[in-house]
């Protein structure tokens, strides 16, 4: 097996290719987790510049981060610079985002007060780049009014705080103070980097998951939708700067950061939520698998076994997409999951539901459709254009769909 050298940042590929991220690591035991974060960001193509506070060097070494990011690591404000520059100012100017993860109570306090005491706090004061702060500390320190007040100050200045999680803490206690999971910190970074993106100011509504139509208090009629495609769309739209509302039927997926999430169960609940959200939206991406039928009656008590056949009468649900008036929506997009006559069925739905775009999805194709991480789809436009895409991860499919949405918005 051959090995390929990691591309230098000039040729980096990946979703964060060429983005300049300054990662400040402070003196929390969670500093070891920052090694994974630095590595993932580098693998995503970002140019990652690491700053360790003096306290952080008690937990992890500069060498760890130098090896992971292929760049020198900054620790000392007073270190002579071989290039005779002013490194903290140069870095402050180049940064597109400053991420402090893990952020201790002490560093959060310094940031809130605007103290310039070390390399990290000097960069934080000098930079115009947005700030992402991921606190990690003992639960009591996190809940303390002083820490909460300092975080409120940072938020009021536009910082994005990635809330710590509840769980086991290094002290042996349980509480809120565990560094947020890497995916959540990366989602926050992508969101902040996308603030001035191509969909800035655009309101996007996405639906996801499969609706549940109750039979009795225990059982429901559902479907195989995992919600992955809709969630990927919501995240991708957020990362292009859109203001996203995600209307979701139950899924096993975590709620995406920085997205307004509306939880629903039944088709009729989803319909109400869609009508409300779309009154003020520019784009609707209807990725949910809506049950076409629901039980005519919902039994108030659990249905008991009788030894007899059981018949459940079904009545038709509203067609959310078809019934939705266009209002101020500029783009109305649907999905067509089909097991036969893919393109003909999709074209018919595009017409019948007055859509600008439909994403046709052959659920019988391998690695495509419900529950998979990849999808093979064809985009069909109102003008008759058909764009087949190769089998791609759902996040990539989402990016291609949003390229099409942007094109439609520019008409
Ligand atoms: N859809 C909807 N409301 C429904 C059913 C579907 O809004 N009651 C939306 C889906 O979210 C999707 C599009 O319509 O974006 C097509 O859904 P699909 O289930 O493929 O089409 P149906 O119109 O239900 O047709 P059929 O089930 O007969 O294939």
């Amino acid at each position: 097996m051959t090995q390929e050298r990691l591309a230098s940042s000039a040729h980096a590929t990946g979703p964060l290719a060429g983005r300049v991220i300054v990662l400040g690591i402070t003196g929390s035991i969670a500093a070891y987790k920052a090694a994974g974060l630095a590595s993932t960001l580098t693998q995503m193509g970002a140019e990652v510049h690491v700053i360790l506070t003096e306290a952080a060097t008690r937990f992890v070494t500069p060498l760890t981060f130098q090896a992971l990011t292929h760049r020198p690591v900054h620790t000392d404000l007073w270190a002579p610079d071989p290039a005779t520059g002013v490194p903290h100012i140069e870095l402050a100017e180049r940064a597109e985002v400053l991420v402090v993860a893990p952020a201790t109570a002490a560093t959060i306090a310094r940031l809130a007060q605007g103290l310039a005491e070390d390399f990290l706090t000097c960069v934080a004061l000098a930079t115009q780049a947005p700030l992402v702060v991921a606190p990690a500390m003992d639960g009591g320190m996190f809940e303390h009014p002083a820490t909460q007040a300092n975080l409120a100050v940072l938020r009021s200045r536009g910082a994005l705080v990635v809330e710590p999680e509840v769980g086991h803490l290094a002290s042996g206690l349980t509480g809120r103070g565990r560094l947020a999971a890497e995916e959540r910190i990366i989602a926050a970074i992508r969101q902040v980097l996308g603030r001035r993106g191509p969909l800035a100011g655009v309101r996007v509504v996405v639906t996801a998951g499969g609706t549940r139509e109750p039979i009795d208090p225990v059982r429901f009629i559902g479907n195989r939708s995992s919600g992955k495609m809709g969630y990927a769309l919501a995240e991708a739209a957020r990362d292009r700067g859109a203001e996203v509302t995600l209307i979701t039927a139950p899924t096993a997926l975590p709620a995406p950061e920085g997205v307004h999430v509306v939880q629903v169960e039944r088709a009729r609940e989803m319909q109400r939520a869609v009508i409300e959200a779309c009154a003020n939206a520019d784009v609707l991406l209807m990725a949910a698998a809506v049950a076409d039928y629901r039980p005519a009656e919902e039994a108030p008590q659990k249905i008991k076994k009788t030894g007899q056949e059981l018949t459940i009468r079904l009545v038709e649900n509203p067609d959310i997409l078809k019934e939705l008036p266009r209002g101020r929506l500029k783009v109305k997009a649907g999905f067509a999951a089909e097991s036969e006559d893919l393109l003909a069925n999709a074209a018919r739905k595009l017409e019948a539901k007055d859509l600008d775009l439909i994403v046709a999805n052959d659920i019988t194709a391998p690695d495509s459709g419900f529950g998979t991480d990849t999808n093979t789809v064809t985009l069909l436009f109102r003008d008759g254009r058909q764009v087949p895409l190769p089998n791609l991860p759902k996040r990539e499919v989402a990016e291609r769909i949003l390229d099409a949405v942007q094109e439609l918005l520019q008409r």
Side-chain angles (χ1 to χ4, degrees), residues 32-348:
Y32 78 91
K33 296 180 182 168
L37 178 63
S39 172
T40 306
L41 291 171
T42 305
Q43 288 173 51
M44 291 171 88
E47 186 182 313
V48 183
H49 297 266
V50 171
I51 303 169
L52 296 182
T53 61
E54 203 273 322
T57 62
R58 311 277 178 122
F59 291 100
V60 287
T61 75
L63 185 61
T64 311
F65 293 91
Q66 184 180 315
L68 291 170
T69 63
H70 313 274
R71 288 176 196 284
V73 169
H74 304 276
T75 51
D76 182 2
L77 188 60
W78 308 108
D81 179 36
T84 66
V86 186
H88 64 279
I89 300 298
E90 283 164 15
L91 211 49
E93 281 177 358
R94 293 209 55 222
E96 289 182 80
V97 58
L98 171 61
V99 184
V100 184
T104 56
T107 293
I108 289 168
R110 288 187 195 104
L111 293 172
Q113 285 189 39
L115 297 181
E117 292 184 333
D118 56 9
F119 201 104
L120 175 59
T121 48
C122 284
V123 170
L125 262 195
T127 192
Q128 310 255 331
L131 176 65
V132 172
V133 179
M137 64 195 75
D138 161 70
M141 291 169 81
F142 180 71
E143 305 290 353
H144 195 283
T147 304
Q148 290 302 317
N150 288 331
L151 287 170
V153 167
L154 295 180
R155 279 195 197 93
S156 73
R157 293 189 199 133
L160 203 158
V161 177
V162 191
E163 290 289 326
E165 293 169 10
V166 176
H168 171 80
L169 301 172
S171 58
L173 300 172
T174 297
R176 183 173 293 283
R178 279 171 70 87
L179 181 69
E182 187 179 303
E183 309 83 71
R184 289 183 53 219
I185 300 173
I186 290 175
I189 294 170
R190 294 184 78 165
Q191 180 191 347
V192 164
L193 285 173
R195 272 185 192 161
R196 290 199 201 97
L199 290 178
V202 177
R203 294 193 180 140
V204 176
V205 177
V206 182
T207 66
T211 61
R212 291 179 175 182
E213 309 298 328
I215 297 170
D216 67 13
V218 181
R219 303 160 180 113
F220 58 83
I221 296 178
N223 60 65
R224 293 183 190 277
S225 170
S226 64
K228 286 179 184 168
M229 194 60 241
Y231 278 57
L233 275 168
E235 289 169 353
R238 173 201 66 198
D239 296 343
R240 291 181 184 219
E243 220 176 281
V244 181
T245 300
L246 173 65
I247 301 170
T248 176
T251 71
L253 303 171
E257 295 281 318
V259 163
H260 176 55
V261 178
V262 181
Q263 302 273 359
V264 297
E265 269 201 23
R266 312 158 195 225
R268 285 179 299 169
E269 278 168 34
M270 182 170 277
Q271 184 179 37
R272 277 195 293 277
V274 167
I275 291 171
E276 193 185 323
C278 285
N280 241 333
D282 306 291
V283 176
L284 169 64
L285 306 173
M286 189 81 197
V290 185
D292 287 328
Y293 292 91
R294 68 175 184 274
E297 286 98 31
E298 181 185 342
Q301 306 299 336
K302 186 179 171 197
I303 298 173
K304 293 290 181 194
K305 168 159 92 235
T306 58
Q308 304 286 311
E309 268 185 13
L310 174 68
T311 303
I312 298 172
R313 197 166 64 85
L314 301 178
V315 294
E316 216 172 79
N317 264 333
D319 188 321
I320 302 175
L321 207 45
K322 191 171 177 182
E323 292 178 14
L324 185 77
R326 188 164 270 270
R328 54 164 288 190
L329 281 176
K330 299 189 191 92
V331 177
K332 203 175 155 193
F335 280 70
E338 305 289 345
S339 56
E340 57 183 0
D341 297 333
L342 176 68
L343 297 180
N345 277 326
R348 191 176 44 74

